[in-house]
Amino acid sequence: MKPVDDVRQISALTYGFIASKALFAALDLDLFTKIASGATTLAGLATASGTAPNRLRTLLTTLKTVGLVSESDGTFANAPAVATYLVAGAPGDFRDYIRIVNGGFLYEGLRHLEKSMRGERIFPDKGFYEGIVYSEGGVGGPAFSSAQHAGSLGPARLMARRVDLAGATKFLDVGGGSGAYTLAFLKQNPKLTATILDFPETTDTARHYAAEAGMSDRVAHIQGNAINTDWPGDQDVVLMSYVWSAVGGNDIPTLARRAFAALKPGGLVLVHDFMVDDRHEGPAFAAWYLLAAMLDNPHAECLTPGLVEGTLRDAGFVIESTANMLDEITQLTRARHP
């Protein structure tokens, strides 16, 4: 990234959060779906959304400045990507992920970033996820898991197509949440059965999606914490997706050792997460997410392929590869139990 050389670039960063909030507000009103459904004038959108025209005009103007909508002769239209991803029923609809995970979970959590940088905990008696998602007044476990599911479906299908699990029959998804990755692998590998280990609050959501996919008989559930709950053994594959960035650096070697103990000889471990390059220069989105992952976790690490591979080697694994998974934002490290 080129160093900033103008005060206006600093201002753009300073005020960037307002554009994010405009998007979250638009999703809360479901404006993009209403535009797609034919409410394309200010008056029509005001009626459809129950929002006063003066307030709506200001919001729509903000949305225009960041390219989410356009206006011609008083008629509004969604940008192409908005029509694909932010409209109800669209092929890539992930409105809930943006609204609940980014707008509710990450945005609200990042209000505490300065506190976490000082090494202070937001919730002294519980972890960040338990506090901001599952506690009374939090985002809510079912809503969070469902939103994560919507955001994970595309990447999960991509991973399941890229990773050959021929011959595997037992799959352990540690921190598997709603089961999006588990279900993608089960669909791709008909002989595979799976166990999802995650917080108790995620289990009902995961069971719902397994039933919806007709795979309830192939998915078992273990409720608990990946650090101190027993993992089942004799596994062919262990997947940890977005788990290493969610724990402290002290716990990462524990996860690697537990994966090694859970696998059969020859078994495969998959570590999928946001990682910056080994020079800590980017990509930007991965760095931003890892910064957010430090919330209430003063021991969190800035993950790199080198750190992940080194930790797995120390646990006894033989590294096969680390490769980009999606637009260089996330990486997938594959390693084998010898």
Side-chain angles (χ1 to χ4, degrees), residues 26 57 73 79 88 169 173-174 209 212 229 232 238 260 329:
R57 166 51 78 184
D73 297 326
T169 60
D173 191 350
V174 178
Y209 286 117
E212 186 176 77
T229 299
V238 171
F260 191 87
I329 294 171

Side-chain angles (χ1 to χ4, degrees), residues 61-62 103 122 144 203 219 226 245 249 269 337:
T61 299
T62 303
I122 301 169
F144 182 80
T203 302
V219 185
S245 61
V269 65
H337 189 303

Side-chain angles (χ1 to χ4, degrees), residues 58-287:
T58 303
L59 176 58
L60 286 164
T61 299
T62 303
L63 298 176
K64 286 168 59 179
T65 67
V66 292
L68 292 171
V69 300
S70 60
E71 183 182 7
S72 177
D73 297 326
T75 299
F76 292 93
N78 292 322
V82 170
T84 302
Y85 298 105
L86 300 181
V87 170
D93 178 13
F94 74 137
R95 292 167 301 148
D96 284 348
Y97 180 84
I98 293 178
R99 185 174 59 85
I100 296 173
V101 178
N102 291 344
F105 172 66
L106 286 178
Y107 190 93
E108 291 304 313
L110 281 165
R111 294 189 298 109
H112 305 283
L113 180 60
E114 292 83 356
K115 185 175 182 178
S116 73
M117 291 301 296
R118 295 193 295 269
E120 302 173 18
R121 297 185 67 85
I122 301 169
F123 303 100
D125 60 336
K126 58 177 71 72
F128 178 68
Y129 277 84
E130 291 97 328
I132 205 163
V133 175
Y134 304 121
S135 294
E136 183 178 353
V139 172
F144 182 80
S145 295
S146 295
Q148 285 279 36
H149 189 79
S152 296
L153 289 175
R157 287 191 289 262
L158 177 64
M159 185 190 296
R161 288 196 299 266
R162 288 187 178 179
V163 179
D164 183 6
L165 297 187
T169 60
K170 291 186 177 181
F171 180 92
L172 175 62
D173 191 350
V174 178
S178 69
Y181 285 87
T182 286
L183 296 178
F185 276 104
L186 292 182
K187 184 176 181 180
Q188 192 76 14
N189 301 273
K191 295 182 179 180
L192 199 64
T193 60
T195 301
I196 299 174
L197 190 162
D198 210 331
F199 297 124
E201 293 87 352
T202 70
T203 302
D204 286 346
T205 302
R207 285 184 174 136
H208 164 77
Y209 286 117
E212 186 176 77
M215 296 182 182
S216 295
D217 60 335
R218 297 172 61 192
V219 185
H221 302 270
I222 297 176
Q223 298 182 349
N225 184 303
I227 302 301
N228 51 40
T229 299
D230 290 339
W231 297 15
D234 202 34
Q235 301 294 311
D236 295 300
V237 184
V238 171
L239 169 66
M240 291 175 280
S241 180
Y242 304 122
V243 176
W244 285 32
S245 61
V247 302
N250 297 336
D251 294 324
I252 289 175
T254 300
L255 291 173
R257 290 192 298 268
R258 294 193 126 203
F260 191 87
L263 283 165
K264 298 176 182 177
L268 180 68
V269 65
L270 304 171
V271 178
H272 172 236
D273 221 313
F274 295 95
M275 303 181 204
V276 296
D277 61 56
D278 288 322
R279 296 176 62 184
H280 295 92
E281 293 184 345
F285 188 87

